[in-house]
């Protein structure tokens, strides 16, 4: 039995005559990570704003954690936590005060609020900075505090709007580890990102949003299967060798500027045959890289035609 | 928990937040206290001799006359600060977070209003203290002091709700600093610094019917024993009206944004 943490049907939103969401359907089972992936301006943030009760939808029905968004927004608010794209911390208050503020707003008893704030400061590696104003925190620290504040109320559904945008690699990894821990506790996570690697690594299901419509949805593997396989990239010492290799292989796209030849296919057998053929003609390959399809390919393949249709 | 106790609890949390913020960012409070004190000193020592002579007294008579005007000017100056504070708070992510939480909707605004009112009442106490030090000699009984404090508090609450609404309507903190500007002129275009009798007809008409004048006349009457007449009732009506309309306007803006 799978209960849906988030179910949206025909979600629509326009600002003036600009259509931001044009009939989006979402189904996120409890205890899973769902990634909404899309370029800037695709409508990711608007989707999160609607699902988290910040902005009303123009059309469509939504239920979050079993509460109807339009009829019972407070029910939804009681079940969710939101960490937005712009850090939602009070910069004049200290890290500890920010967490205690959340505890008070969740009506936790004083002792428990203090206890929970301390535990979260420890868990998010903020204990040393607990008594400094949040305005003095680094980007990574502020984002961790932001997420810690979201967790004070023990939400069952968490929205993370581009949680790692602008973070350095180490902070990004720390954020990913935290997300994985949360999922292990049974929390449902709705994540938006423009990093394919992030969706690939974290999400159970991924939806691609482009121009307000979902253009593909599935697991990372399912999405990767949507596009042709990978390719092998061969680099040669000079243009003569590149030309010769291109004639022998009889396929692929040569690039004279980088002296590389892109040959479709990424299987072991295909690569061996390729190398044997080149070897038979005594053509030296300076370098070889194998490129398996990733979500970048999926994304570029699926979004490209749509972009060209826009004048 | 009933809706009312919930609202009270969330509001008191937000008031604590706001008071902490004011302590962390004292430059605004200092400016709001220092500005009226400087104006008081300028008016008393630079202009007070001449203006006091016009009132049929001297500098000492003018100190007594001008204090209610300075107090209202302090409120108008503080309105700017409140509007800026609200506008910058609204542009921060923290308020978006509050909106996604199951808390009493009005508590964010209540926090701002109570914080500002406390800040302004403290500021007024300082202004009155300085005024007493340079010769302000009210003849009010304790009950009259209390009534004057009540009148000023009501006025502060009304103007603060107005500045909260103006702050929320402003797209940027910079725009918010301009919105309440006209309020600073109202003590001048009323009975704050000179009696309205000496003004040209049109200006005098405006000065007598604008909301600041009955408030200043009431405070003056309570502290110094000048006649109050209908001014107290008119002042209370203005304050309740401005406060109620501004409150509804602010709440509506907050719920919609």
């Amino acid at each position: 039995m799978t209960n849906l943490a988030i179910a949206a049907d025909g979600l629509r939103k326009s600002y003036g005559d600009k259509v931001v969401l044009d009939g989006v359907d979402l189904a996120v089972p409890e205890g899973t990570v769902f990634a909404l992936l899309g370029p800037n301006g695709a409508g990711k943030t608007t989707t999160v704003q609607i699902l988290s009760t910040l902005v009303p939808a123009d059309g469509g029905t939504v239920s979050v954690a079993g509460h109807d968004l339009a009829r019972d927004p407070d029910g939804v608010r009681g079940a969710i936590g939101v960490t937005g794209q712009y850090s939602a911390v009070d910069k004049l208050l200290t890290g500890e005060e920010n967490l205690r503020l959340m505890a008070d707003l969740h009506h936790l008893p004083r002792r428990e609020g203090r206890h929970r704030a301390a535990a979260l400061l420890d868990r998010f590696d903020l204990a040393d900075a607990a008594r400094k104003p949040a305005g003095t925190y680094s980007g990574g620290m502020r984002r961790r505090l932001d997420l810690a504040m979201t967790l004070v109320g023990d939400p069952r559904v968490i929205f993370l709007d581009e949680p790692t945008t602008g973070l350095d690699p180490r902070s990004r990894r720390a954020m990913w580890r935290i997300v994985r821990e949360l999922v292990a506790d049974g929390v449902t996570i709705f994540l938006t990102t423009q990093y394919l690697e992030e969706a690939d690594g974290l999400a159970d299901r991924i939806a691609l949003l482009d121009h307000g419509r979902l253009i593909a949805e599935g697991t990372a593997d399912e999405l990767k299967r949507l596009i042709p396989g990978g390719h092998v990239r061969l680099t040669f010492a000079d243009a003569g060798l590149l030309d010769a290799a291109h004639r022998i292989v009889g396929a692929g796209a040569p690039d004279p500027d980088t002296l590389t030849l892109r040959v479709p296919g990424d299987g072991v057998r295909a690569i061996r045959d390729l190398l044997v053929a080149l070897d038979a003609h005594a053509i030296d390959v300076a370098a070889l890289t194998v490129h398996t399809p990733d979500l970048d390919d999926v994304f570029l393949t699926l979004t490209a035609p749509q972009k060209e249709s826009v004048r | 928990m009933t809706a009312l106790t919930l609202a009270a609890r969330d509001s008191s949390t937000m008031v604590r937040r706001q008071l902490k913020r004011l302590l962390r960012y004292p430059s605004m409070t200092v400016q709001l206290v220092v500005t009226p004190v400087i104006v008081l000193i300028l008016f008393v020592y630079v202009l007070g001799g001449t203006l006091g002579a016009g009132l049929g007294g001297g500098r000492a008579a003018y100190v007594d006359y001008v204090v209610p005007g300075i107090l209202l000017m302090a409120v108008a100056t503080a309105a700017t600060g409140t509007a800026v504070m609200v506008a910058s708070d609204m542009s921060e992510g923290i308020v978006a977070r509050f909106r996604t939480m199951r808390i009493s909707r009005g508590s964010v605004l209540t926090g701002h209003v109570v914080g500002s009112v406390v800040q302004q009442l403290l500021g007024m106490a300082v202004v009155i203290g300085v005024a007493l030090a340079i010769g302000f000699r009210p003849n009010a009984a304790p009950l009259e002091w209390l009534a004057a404090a009540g009148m000023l508090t009501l006025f502060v609450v009304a103007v603060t709700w107005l500045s909260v609404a103006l702050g929320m309507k402003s797209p940027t903190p910079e725009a918010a600093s301009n919105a309440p500007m006209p309020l600073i002129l109202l003590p001048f275009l009323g009975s704050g610094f000179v009696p309205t009798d000496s003004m040209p007809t049109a200006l005098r008409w405006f000065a007598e019917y604008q909301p600041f004048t009955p408030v200043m006349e009431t405070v003056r009457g309570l502290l110094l024993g000048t006649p109050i007449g209908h001014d107290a009732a008119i002042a209370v009506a203005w304050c309740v009206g401005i406060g109620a309309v501004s409150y509804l306007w602010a709440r509506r803006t907050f719920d919609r944004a």
Side-chain angles (χ1 to χ4, degrees):
Chain A
M1 160 197 121
T2 51
N3 285 326
L4 290 181
I6 303 169
D9 190 26
L11 211 51
R12 278 171 200 290
K13 180 74 187 177
S14 309
Y15 287 107
D17 51 5
K18 172 152 175 44
V19 178
V20 182
L21 294 179
D22 190 9
V24 171
D25 301 334
L26 298 166
V28 182
E30 270 177 10
T32 65
V33 181
F34 184 91
L36 189 62
L37 191 63
N40 287 330
K44 302 189 298 289
T45 295
T46 305
T47 308
V48 170
Q49 285 177 333
I50 291 174
L51 296 179
S52 63
T53 78
L54 269 177
V55 168
D58 294 341
T61 56
V62 182
S63 107
V64 177
H67 303 275
D68 183 274
L69 194 70
R71 280 199 302 273
D72 184 16
D74 263 345
V76 174
R77 290 183 188 123
I80 64 170
V82 186
T83 290
Q85 200 175 140
Y86 305 102
S87 61
V89 306
D90 191 321
K91 295 194 193 99
L92 291 177
L93 300 185
T94 68
E96 187 182 9
E97 284 167 341
N98 268 296
L99 291 167
R100 296 283 299 276
L101 172 66
M102 291 299 119
D104 288 345
L105 291 174
H106 284 291
H107 310 124
L108 298 178
R110 268 186 94 73
R111 178 196 290 271
E112 185 171 355
R114 194 164 37 221
H115 185 74
R116 209 175 279 194
L120 283 164
L121 286 166
D122 271 341
R123 176 174 172 193
F124 285 77
D125 204 12
L126 291 167
D128 291 341
R131 287 168 200 279
K132 295 197 184 104
T136 65
Y137 285 16
S138 71
M141 288 163 77
R142 218 178 281 179
R143 213 69 72 94
R144 293 206 299 276
L145 175 61
D146 197 331
L147 187 52
M149 287 165 73
T150 300
L151 297 184
V152 171
D154 264 338
R156 300 312 298 155
V157 180
I158 297 179
F159 294 95
L160 301 175
D161 190 12
E162 304 204 7
T164 63
T165 298
L167 293 190
D168 61 58
R170 181 194 294 272
S171 305
R172 179 171 300 171
R173 286 225 172 81
M175 194 60 97
W176 290 351
R177 181 177 49 76
I178 292 161
V179 170
R180 291 198 184 96
E181 285 169 12
L182 290 173
V183 182
D185 293 344
V187 172
T188 307
I189 294 194
F190 186 99
L191 169 90
T192 77
T193 181
Q194 35 181 330
Y195 302 114
L196 304 134
E197 184 197 359
E198 186 162 294
D200 201 354
L202 289 178
D204 297 301
R205 291 185 74 76
I206 300 167
L208 299 189
L209 186 69
D210 193 38
H211 292 85
R213 287 169 175 277
L214 292 187
I215 52 172
E217 202 204 320
T219 63
D221 287 338
E222 283 168 0
L223 291 177
K224 286 176 196 168
R225 259 179 252 136
L226 286 175
I227 56 145
H231 61 262
V232 177
R233 185 190 293 261
L234 302 167
T235 308
F236 299 95
D238 60 54
L241 284 173
L242 174 63
D243 277 351
H246 186 211
R247 272 197 307 278
I248 293 157
V249 177
D255 181 349
D257 291 336
T258 57
L259 298 173
T260 57
L261 180 65
R262 251 175 81 146
V263 187
D266 60 355
V268 174
R269 177 175 291 271
I271 296 170
R272 194 182 57 199
D273 291 351
L274 186 66
L275 292 180
V276 167
L278 291 175
D279 208 30
H281 292 82
I283 293 175
D284 265 343
V285 178
L288 175 150
T289 55
V290 179
H291 186 78
T292 50
D294 60 17
L295 285 172
D296 269 306
D297 298 313
V298 180
F299 195 70
L300 293 173
T301 309
L302 290 175
T303 57
Q306 190 132 6
K307 269 189 190 138
E308 278 164 13
S309 73
V310 176
R311 271 170 241 283
Chain B
M1 234 182 299
T2 69
L4 202 64
T5 54
L6 202 71
R9 187 164 176 181
D10 289 343
S11 296
S12 81
T13 301
M14 291 300 185
V15 169
R16 279 204 305 279
R17 163 183 183 244
Q18 197 53 30
L19 291 178
K20 268 186 206 149
R21 287 167 58 85
L22 291 173
L23 285 177
R24 295 285 149 75
Y25 190 56
S27 55
M28 186 81 98
T29 309
V30 168
Q31 189 204 333
L32 296 181
V33 174
V34 168
T35 310
V37 167
I38 289 174
V39 174
L40 172 70
I41 289 169
L42 282 179
F43 267 83
V44 168
Y45 288 106
V46 179
L47 308 172
T50 308
L51 291 173
L55 291 174
R59 198 181 311 283
Y62 192 67
V63 180
D64 285 342
Y65 186 84
V66 81
V67 167
I70 298 285
L71 290 176
L72 265 66
M73 207 203 77
V75 177
T77 315
T80 309
T82 305
V84 171
M85 199 85 175
V86 169
S88 62
D89 204 21
M90 292 300 141
S91 66
E92 299 271 340
I94 185 86
V95 171
R97 177 191 288 284
F98 292 148
R99 285 176 201 276
T100 65
M101 296 174 69
R102 186 162 60 186
I103 58 176
S104 151
R105 296 293 271 175
S107 59
V108 180
L109 301 181
T110 310
H112 274 290
V113 169
V114 176
S116 286
V117 169
V118 169
Q119 181 189 30
Q120 291 178 62
L121 294 181
L122 290 176
M124 282 189 177
V126 173
V127 172
I128 290 175
V130 172
L132 288 171
I134 63 171
F136 180 47
R137 291 295 171 263
N139 56 15
L143 213 59
E144 287 166 320
W145 271 107
L146 208 62
M151 178 75 255
L152 286 168
T153 306
L154 183 65
F155 178 74
V156 168
V157 170
V159 172
T160 304
W161 271 112
L162 177 63
S163 9
V164 167
L166 290 172
M168 298 228 303
K169 277 284 174 190
S170 306
T172 61
E174 286 77 13
S177 77
N178 293 331
M181 208 65 116
L183 294 181
I184 293 176
L185 290 177
L186 287 181
F188 294 93
L189 306 177
S191 67
F193 293 87
V194 292
T196 53
D197 314 345
S198 59
M199 299 177 184
T201 319
L203 182 57
R204 181 172 149 187
W205 186 88
F206 175 81
E208 282 172 3
Y209 289 99
Q210 59 113 329
F212 278 45
T213 298
V215 177
M216 290 186 285
E217 288 306 312
T218 305
V219 173
R220 195 169 278 143
L222 288 168
L223 295 184
L224 298 156
T226 55
I228 296 177
H230 296 303
D231 278 330
I234 296 171
V236 170
W238 269 115
C239 292
V240 171
I242 292 172
V245 170
S246 304
Y247 169 78
L248 294 174
W249 188 27
R251 281 299 306 268
R252 232 170 101 113
T253 312
F254 185 79
D255 286 344
R256 278 200 184 162

